[in-house]
Amino acid sequence: MDQILTAGDDPFLDLARDEIVDLVRQAVLSLPAHFREVIVLCHLQEMSYTEVSEVIDCPIGTVRSRLNRARTLLVEKLKILQGTNAGKLTAKAAL
């Protein structure tokens, strides 16, 4: 699995990947807890909607709606974080 996550001989690709992973981590951690938990359970733990429903003790429809809202919030947060980091990278490049 490590081979999939590494870019090999290109340290710039490794750095870019690490920055993307960090942005996603920051965005997920900034979500409200009830949205964060469905993202983690569905996408990281690869649970089905039924399994998540049982774990968090709510209807499947609630899992689906929370996941949809969480994904929308993640996109918004990633755009903001990406813009913030782009500014930092530009400032570093100017030095």
Side-chain angles (χ1 to χ4, degrees), residues 44-59:
L44 299 178
Q45 299 297 322
E46 298 180 349
M47 293 177 132
S48 69
Y49 292 165
T50 302
E51 292 169 325
V52 174
S53 169
E54 292 170 5
V55 168
I56 64 174
D57 193 31
C58 70

Side-chain angles (χ1 to χ4, degrees), residues 6-88:
T6 59
D9 295 331
D10 191 340
F12 293 111
L13 289 177
D14 287 340
L15 179 61
R17 185 209 62 241
D18 291 346
E19 288 177 357
I20 291 169
V21 168
D22 189 49
L23 283 175
V24 172
R25 183 179 295 120
Q26 287 177 45
V28 169
L29 290 174
S30 71
L31 291 173
H34 61 284
F35 293 139
R36 186 174 54 246
E37 73 183 345
V38 294
I39 288 288
V40 168
L41 293 173
C42 287
H43 291 292
L44 299 178
Q45 299 297 322
E46 298 180 349
M47 293 177 132
S48 69
Y49 292 165
T50 302
E51 292 169 325
V52 174
S53 169
E54 292 170 5
V55 168
I56 64 174
D57 193 31
C58 70
I60 291 175
T62 302
V63 171
R64 287 185 177 136
S65 66
R66 285 183 186 175
L67 192 55
N68 183 48
R69 182 64 182 139
R71 288 174 180 154
T72 301
L73 285 172
L74 272 177
V75 168
E76 293 170 7
K77 290 178 181 293
L78 285 170
K79 286 179 182 177
I80 292 168
L81 289 171
Q82 186 177 25
T84 302
N85 277 0
K88 289 178 187 175

